[in-house]
Amino acid sequence: LLPPLLLLLGRPGLAAPGQGAGTWSRFARLPYPQDQLFLHDTFPDGFLWGAGSAAYQTEGGWRQGGKGASVWDTFAHRPATPPGAAPPGPVDGDVASDSYNNLFRDVEALRRLGVSHYRFSLSWARLLPNGTGPPNPAGLAHYGRLLARLRELGVEPVVTLYHWDLPQALQDAFGGWASPVLPRLFRDYAELCFRHFGGQVRYWLTMDNPYVVAWHGYGTGRLPPGVRGGPRLGYLAAHHLLQAHAKVWHLYNDHFRPAQRGKVSIALSSHWIKPQRMTEKNIKECQKSLDFVLGWFAKPIFIDGDYPDSMRSNLSSLLPEFSEAEKKYIKGTADFFALSFGATLSFQLLDSHMKFQQLESISLRQLLYWINSEYNSPQIFIVENSWFVSGTTKKDDAKYIYYLKKFIMETLKAIRYDGVSVFGYTVWSLLDGFEWHRGYSIRRGLFYVDFQSHDKKLIPKSSVLFYQKLIEKNGFPPLPENQPIEGIFPCGFAWGIVDNYIQVDTTPAQFVDSSVYVWDVHQTKKLIKVDGVYASKRKRHCVDFAAIRLQISLLQEMHVTHFHFSLKWSLILPLGNLSLINHTLVHYYQCFASELLRVNITPVVALWQPMIENQELPVSLAKYGAWENAETVQAFVEYARFCFTSLGDHVKFWITMNEPSVKNLTYTAGHNLLKAHAKVWHLYDKEFRRSQKGKISIALQADWVEPACPFSRNDQEVADRILEFDIGWLAEPIFGNGDYPEVMRAWLHRISGVDLYNFHLPYFSEDEKKLIQGSFDFFALSHYTTTLVGSEKEDAVKYDHFLEVQMINDITWLHSPSRAAVVPWGLRKLLKWVKSKYGNVPIYVMANGIDDDQNMVHDKLRVYYIQNYINEALKAYTLDDVNLQGYFVYSFNDKTAPKYGLYSYVANQYEPKPSLNHYREIIGNNGFPGPETPELQCPEEVALCPECHFFRTRKSLLAFISFIFVAFIATIFFITYYSKRVERGYK
């Protein structure tokens, strides 16, 4: 069966040369966000999993066993160190990982990984110290031992004849690849290798990345042999490299294939490029960029023996010519397409002018599809792929893992969704080594090597465990926890929507105006105000606020049961005390709450929510220290008392403080904030609960934090620390033991010797602990995303020195336009964590939402977000027995929360987005019922409107009044009717 997305897209037909240009438009049309979701599936049976290395990067032993000098030996020994290398320490590959003296160590690492193949290169200068002449017995014996050991382990060798380390003698004698003599000498070297090792090797690669050798070795001079010959010499060197490759392929095909039955190809490296804008011109420039790097070598070999037309037309006389015989000779000289993709070329060795003013990218999937389309669907073997981490990273290489995960997942999608034939994948590299022009400033190995040590012991990094498990499972098989479940939430579950602050418009309706007007029917035809004459004033009514009616009608359309918003302390009590009260605003809030109740929507009201300006405190309080000032605590209590008194008849669901930001709190401010919350809770509990019968708590922002390396104890400790600082700081005193988390105190004590921060965490008295502990009726949390954290410093910009934590990004996750990660399972983990720490407390998810870019395409992301986050909440309720009582989407509309609303707001009009309809459907179903889900019989909700109580208790009276009214109208009608008939009768 084809995967669902492939059925939607259609499997590509047989590709034809030149069709790669359609790649960009195809991927621009793929369904969003489905195409970007992680694919849980496995690779085809028999898929090859391996690791690789190159001789100069890892072997060392540059003067051992009769080895001759290579161009890299000479280049690295120059007085100037390679760019990026960081003395003190080694700056060349003289010793590197010392694999020459640790052959069994490397093979043991392969056994531990469980790979099916190992790609390595032969050192031309170790086998033929002068590039020609008699072979070096020690070199032949070394590689013979390696191949024998691989055979014992059942690991398939993939052997590269030439990985950039040309014997220096050939460079000195002939000028290296600039000479037409080299193809013949390379053929002789290959023949030696085929004769000695061919019986044990099924996969041969003639050379690695000829683009880098030709362009940077002989054109720019950035790499060995460092010849700055300009474009002409670079193209000439490439010409000879192609000829050399073809000679070796034909040699094997004619003389060794019948007996050895192996396959021969060439490892070609490429970048990926995307258009700045999707225009025909930009797409042509992207195609040209790939022609100039990958097509330069791939088209002659896989298509017609000649260079791409775009190169021919742009370079004219700079590009050498192949004769017709040479074209035939080169065409078809590859038994599979060997691809190298990753950190060696991308963003490093690709000259800017070869991007043709387009944008470089790292989409392996799109490159695979382009190769499939451009080169007639070849069998593809990925012979080098990975990214890198800092040279200081030791064991927990999270960044490396997530790039690896991305590349492997994209390979799987290319196979399953795009119909590309990929039969093997090779991680680069098996162990840390000398990283070419970047020296030892970065690491790319699965195994860590301490280059300063004598024994060069291999230490497995976290990526070893990741790759090991991936090989065992042959990919990413679906897991039960990744599957959506069917089921429904309990009766009375709160389905809500959030608005930070409701739109307050206290402009009175025209009916409130007590002035008397005269209609000038003869001249102006307008109403003229009569000065000094007024009608009697009537009492204000809620219907006088037109803005309320609109908001209520929009909320009704959503079918929510609860609406959560915050009051504006700074506007209700502008001076911070009761000496000045904004009665009009209070009346507006009363009306809004009563109108919500009238339509069976429960108001959920926060007393205070911090905002950018003055933290949304009255100016007088903000000016004198805000929450740093203990007087703010008592001011908050008096403000709360006023709100309970004024609004308590309408509001039964209170939040003291909504999402106080711990990122911006000092420890003193947090201390006072906790005391203020507790005092307000006790105030409500003692003076208002019995009469108003409401509930009250605090709402904390609670994003989940996950260890970047799931196998790392250090990363787990970091994640636990961040959770305590982000959530436990305010939660533990209230929901736990009445004091701050022990992890928090211990950490601050540990770093107290550093004077960069104020690390003093105040202490609560015993009475204060009793006051704060248990000051809740439920646990309210706002959750938006999940963050990965690591212990090893990798990126200074994303490293928190205070908490010693590295923020990491999983690039396989979906992200919103603002780069917020969409990680539904993080909500379930958070809810389980709250339950495990604070018991079976009732929990409300008070805000959960994602941004868009006001493009309907991206509202599809919100549909996905709401669907999957609610489903994870259902798993927490159903499978984990979390006492979940409500879920609220953030946010109501784009006017008050731009880019987050379920209603867009354009040209003073509200329009429902598709996500609103989707949320309404989930509410209507009370979750995700399936065929096996038992029907839940819930009692009908009754409105809590106080004004409605009069009518509910006097239904008989209302019926009688209605009857009298209808009878009166009917009587008037009949009197009028018969009076007119009588008049007509007299006439």
Side-chain angles (χ1 to χ4, degrees):
L1 290 176
L2 296 178
L5 190 61
L6 186 55
L7 288 170
L8 184 62
L9 299 175
R11 184 180 288 277
L14 183 63
Q19 287 190 349
T23 301
W24 292 276
S25 58
R26 176 188 187 269
F27 279 88
R29 296 192 306 267
L30 293 183
Y32 176 86
Q34 290 82 358
D35 181 65
Q36 294 186 21
L37 298 178
F38 193 87
L39 174 59
H40 290 279
D41 201 349
T42 56
F43 284 80
D45 292 341
F47 191 82
L48 302 179
W49 294 104
S53 67
Y56 184 76
Q57 289 186 282
T58 59
E59 270 188 6
W62 82 286
R63 283 182 169 174
Q64 289 182 259
K67 176 184 173 295
S70 74
V71 292
W72 263 99
D73 291 318
T74 304
F75 190 81
H77 291 160
R78 296 181 309 174
T81 57
V91 295
D92 52 42
D94 289 2
V95 179
S97 318
D98 202 22
S99 289
Y100 182 75
N101 296 303
N102 290 279
L103 183 150
F104 290 98
R105 174 204 68 180
D106 293 358
V107 175
E108 175 60 22
L110 293 167
R111 186 197 63 77
R112 179 168 182 168
L113 282 172
V115 294
S116 56
H117 71 274
Y118 177 46
R119 181 193 169 191
F120 64 94
S121 72
L122 306 174
S123 170
W124 190 344
R126 191 176 294 285
L127 291 171
L128 295 172
N130 295 314
T132 61
N136 174 22
L140 292 172
H142 170 74
Y143 293 118
R145 285 193 297 273
L146 174 57
L147 288 168
R149 184 62 181 143
L150 291 175
R151 185 171 65 249
E152 290 174 12
L153 287 178
V155 175
E156 187 83 56
V158 178
V159 181
T160 308
L161 294 170
Y162 168 61
H163 201 128
W164 305 7
D165 49 352
L166 182 74
Q168 183 64 42
L170 298 183
Q171 182 63 34
D172 295 340
F174 305 104
W177 291 107
S179 168
V181 175
L182 260 289
R184 177 180 58 80
L185 298 179
F186 185 61
R187 179 197 177 282
D188 295 342
Y189 161 60
E191 184 173 4
L192 170 73
C193 297
F194 292 156
R195 290 191 185 283
H196 279 86
F197 311 125
Q200 302 172 70
V201 179
R202 284 200 307 158
Y203 293 99
W204 290 96
L205 299 173
T206 56
M207 58 186 68
D208 182 88
N209 203 339
Y211 164 83
V212 167
V213 175
W215 190 252
H216 291 301
Y218 295 87
T220 67
R222 286 183 63 188
L223 298 179
V227 179
R228 298 179 182 176
R232 187 177 297 278
L233 192 63
Y235 292 126
L236 182 63
H239 204 68
H240 297 149
L241 285 162
L242 278 165
Q243 291 172 330
H245 159 76
K247 281 182 178 292
V248 170
W249 187 88
H250 282 286
L251 168 70
Y252 189 86
N253 192 58
D254 295 343
H255 301 285
F256 294 96
R257 193 189 301 275
Q260 296 179 0
R261 298 182 181 180
K263 295 182 178 181
V264 179
S265 190
I266 179 173
L268 300 180
S269 186
S270 185
H271 62 305
W272 181 247
I273 199 89
K274 63 182 182 180
Q276 291 206 35
R277 291 185 305 277
M278 282 296 293
T279 65
E280 187 176 344
K281 179 186 176 184
N282 285 346
I283 289 174
K284 285 182 178 179
E285 295 299 285
C286 289
Q287 180 79 4
K288 191 189 299 181
S289 177
L290 293 175
D291 281 346
F292 271 64
V293 179
L294 179 57
W296 186 2
F297 301 92
K299 183 173 176 286
I301 294 170
F302 290 92
I303 300 298
D304 59 7
D306 201 3
Y307 300 114
D309 293 341
S310 60
M311 293 185 75
R312 283 271 176 228
S313 59
N314 279 268
L315 299 172
S316 61
S317 61
L318 282 177
L319 207 57
E321 296 279 351
F322 287 119
S323 67
E324 290 303 315
E326 286 177 321
K327 290 178 185 178
K328 291 179 182 177
Y329 192 70
I330 293 171
K331 176 184 176 182
T333 55
D335 300 323
F336 55 91
F337 197 112
L339 176 65
S340 168
F341 182 77
T344 301
L345 180 63
S346 295
F347 297 97
Q348 283 295 314
L349 294 175
L350 180 68
D351 279 9
S352 59
H353 72 273
M354 288 193 177
K355 300 176 189 178
F356 295 93
Q357 299 182 328
Q358 305 308 308
L359 303 174
E360 197 170 355
S361 176
I362 52 170
S363 176
L364 176 56
R365 178 186 172 189
Q366 293 186 49
L367 176 61
L368 290 169
Y369 185 86
W370 186 88
I371 291 169
N372 186 70
S373 303
E374 190 76 7
Y375 302 119
N376 205 19
S377 305
Q379 295 282 308
I380 300 174
F381 191 175
I382 298 172
V383 294
E384 176 185 344
N385 179 239
S386 76
W387 207 242
F388 62 88
V389 292
S390 165
T392 60
T393 298
K394 293 183 178 179
K395 187 175 180 182
D396 295 328
D397 54 343
K399 174 183 168 185
Y400 186 91
I401 288 175
Y402 290 112
Y403 272 93
L404 213 58
K405 181 181 173 186
K406 168 187 167 66
F407 291 137
I408 294 173
M409 189 264 290
E410 288 193 347
T411 302
L412 181 60
K413 284 186 175 180
I415 295 170
R416 297 301 187 195
Y417 289 168
D418 307 328
V420 180
S421 179
V422 184
F423 66 89
Y425 179 89
T426 312
V427 166
W428 202 268
S429 63
L430 174 64
L431 66 167
D432 291 334
F434 179 78
E435 288 301 330
W436 308 116
H437 62 296
R438 304 181 74 174
Y440 296 98
S441 65
I442 64 170
R443 294 176 180 269
R444 296 184 66 192
L446 294 168
F447 287 86
Y448 173 81
V449 176
D450 181 355
F451 298 110
Q452 306 282 9
S453 67
H454 175 72
D455 59 358
K456 303 292 187 295
K457 183 180 178 181
L458 295 190
I459 300 173
K461 303 179 189 177
S462 293
S463 53
V464 166
L465 295 172
F466 168 80
Y467 195 47
Q468 205 175 42
K469 291 182 180 296
L470 188 142
I471 293 171
E472 286 176 6
K473 297 176 181 178
N474 197 33
F476 310 101
L479 301 173
E481 58 264 34
N482 295 330
Q483 306 305 308
I485 66 167
E486 294 176 343
I488 54 176
F489 290 93
C491 290
F493 190 78
W495 291 105
I497 191 72
V498 187
D499 206 354
N500 290 335
Y501 297 100
I502 59 173
Q503 301 160 54
V504 175
D505 182 0
T506 56
T507 304
Q510 61 181 352
F511 306 108
V512 181
D513 190 353
S514 60
S515 300
V516 175
Y517 297 84
V518 174
W519 187 11
D520 184 359
V521 296
H522 298 292
Q523 295 179 9
T524 63
K525 309 292 185 183
K526 294 181 179 179
L527 290 173
I528 301 173
K529 184 177 180 181
V530 180
D531 294 332
V533 181
Y534 299 94
S536 59
K537 286 189 176 182
R538 68 169 177 79
K539 184 181 177 182
R540 285 179 178 268
H541 297 288
C542 292
V543 293
D544 295 333
F545 298 121
I548 292 179
R549 294 199 300 272
L550 174 60
Q551 293 181 73
I552 296 296
S553 65
L554 293 174
L555 288 167
Q556 281 183 283
E557 283 294 310
M558 305 177 84
H559 296 183
V560 292
T561 62
H562 291 65
F563 179 53
H564 174 31
F565 63 94
S566 300
L567 304 177
K568 286 204 169 189
W569 183 4
S570 63
L571 297 182
I572 293 175
L573 302 180
L575 300 181
N577 55 48
L578 299 178
S579 64
L580 180 62
I581 301 171
N582 188 337
H583 289 287
T584 303
L585 179 59
V586 173
H587 180 57
Y588 188 93
Y589 283 135
Q590 290 170 336
C591 288
F592 196 95
S594 66
E595 287 297 298
L596 285 171
L597 292 171
R598 187 179 60 80
V599 295
N600 270 346
I601 297 177
T602 301
V604 181
V605 180
L607 295 170
W608 174 73
Q609 175 169 339
M611 298 297 280
I612 295 175
E613 187 176 359
N614 293 328
Q615 301 181 48
E616 193 42 52
L617 296 172
V619 175
S620 58
L621 297 177
K623 187 177 179 181
Y624 293 101
W627 288 108
E628 293 272 337
N629 188 341
E631 292 184 7
T632 304
V633 175
Q634 191 55 38
F636 186 63
V637 174
E638 293 307 312
Y639 161 64
R641 183 190 303 275
F642 173 77
C643 292
F644 295 153
T645 303
S646 304
L647 301 171
D649 287 341
H650 308 282
V651 179
K652 310 301 179 187
F653 199 142
W654 289 99
I655 302 293
T656 57
M657 301 161 176
N658 193 51
E659 297 185 23
S661 175
V662 296
K663 305 293 184 187
N664 301 318
L665 274 183
T666 64
Y667 296 129
T668 301
H671 202 69
N672 287 332
L673 190 146
L674 282 165
K675 289 191 286 187
H677 155 77
K679 288 186 175 184
V680 167
W681 186 89
H682 283 283
L683 168 69
Y684 189 84
D685 190 53
K686 293 175 182 176
E687 299 184 25
F688 295 94
R689 189 189 298 276
R690 180 171 296 179
S691 60
Q692 296 182 1
K693 296 180 171 53
K695 53 188 175 183
I696 184 169
S697 196
I698 188 172
L700 304 177
Q701 181 161 338
D703 288 335
W704 181 243
V705 180
E706 185 79 2
C709 292
F711 322 105
S712 166
R713 181 181 299 175
N714 291 337
D715 284 10
Q716 184 62 60
E717 288 178 0
V718 169
D720 292 342
R721 181 159 68 243
I722 300 301
L723 284 170
E724 294 295 357
F725 270 83
D726 283 1
I727 306 173
W729 178 4
L730 300 180
E732 185 65 28
I734 298 171
F735 300 93
N737 62 10
D739 202 356
Y740 296 114
E742 191 55 42
V743 169
M744 196 173 174
R745 282 211 184 276
W747 181 259
L748 293 176
H749 177 73
R750 174 189 157 185
I751 60 175
S752 59
V754 183
D755 295 327
L756 294 176
Y757 303 91
N758 175 14
F759 293 144
H760 176 63
L761 189 62
Y763 286 87
F764 293 114
S765 67
E766 289 305 314
D767 287 341
E768 287 173 334
K769 288 180 183 179
K770 291 177 182 176
L771 177 79
I772 295 170
Q773 185 181 21
S775 57
F776 68 90
D777 295 334
F778 51 88
F779 195 116
L781 59 90
S782 299
H783 174 84
Y784 302 98
T785 188
T786 292
T787 305
L788 292 172
V789 294
S791 57
E792 299 228 20
K793 184 177 180 180
E794 177 66 35
D795 180 355
V797 176
K798 297 181 179 179
Y799 186 78
D800 185 332
H801 292 272
F802 171 42
L803 292 174
E804 295 181 10
V805 56
Q806 178 69 61
M807 302 299 171
I808 300 290
N809 181 33
D810 184 341
I811 53 179
T812 67
W813 285 351
L814 271 176
H815 288 83
S816 73
S818 69
R819 303 304 299 159
V822 179
V823 192
W825 51 259
L827 175 58
R828 181 183 177 189
K829 286 198 171 189
L830 172 68
L831 295 172
K832 290 170 67 178
W833 182 83
V834 170
K835 179 185 177 183
S836 69
K837 278 190 70 73
Y838 305 120
N840 198 34
V841 56
I843 301 175
Y844 289 86
V845 178
M846 296 302 297
N848 180 238
I850 196 74
D851 63 289
D852 59 35
D853 61 357
Q854 297 180 346
N855 182 329
M856 281 304 172
V857 170
H858 286 92
D859 191 61
K860 293 180 180 178
L861 178 62
R862 184 177 288 105
V863 170
Y864 171 84
Y865 184 99
I866 291 172
Q867 169 85 13
N868 288 276
Y869 272 84
I870 295 177
N871 198 265
E872 290 297 322
L874 180 63
K875 290 178 186 177
Y877 168 72
T878 305
L879 305 178
D880 308 324
D881 202 26
V882 172
N883 188 7
L884 185 64
Q885 308 227 339
Y887 171 89
F888 292 64
V889 167
Y890 182 85
S891 156
F892 181 18
N893 63 74
D894 283 342
K895 184 177 182 181
T896 52
K899 301 183 179 182
Y900 282 86
L902 297 193
Y903 281 101
S904 64
Y905 184 74
V906 181
N908 295 322
Q909 294 291 322
Y910 292 94
E911 292 293 336
K913 300 178 184 178
S915 51
L916 185 151
N917 296 324
H918 190 69
Y919 185 41
R920 184 168 59 192
E921 183 181 338
I922 294 172
I923 294 172
N925 291 324
N926 200 29
F928 308 94
E932 307 296 321
T933 305
E935 189 175 347
L936 193 64
Q937 298 293 336
C938 296
E940 188 176 345
E941 292 289 328
V942 182
L944 300 175
C945 172
E947 289 85 353
C948 302
H949 180 72
F950 173 86
F951 300 103
R952 286 200 303 270
T953 57
R954 292 166 174 83
K955 291 182 180 178
S956 299
L957 176 62
L958 285 173
F960 177 71
I961 293 172
S962 299
F963 172 76
I964 295 298
F965 178 74
V966 171
F968 174 75
I969 295 298
T971 302
I972 295 297
F973 171 78
F974 285 119
I975 291 171
T976 304
Y977 175 74
Y978 283 108
S979 296
K980 288 182 178 181
R981 286 189 63 178
V982 169
E983 287 177 10
R984 283 197 297 268
Y986 282 120
K987 290 177 182 178

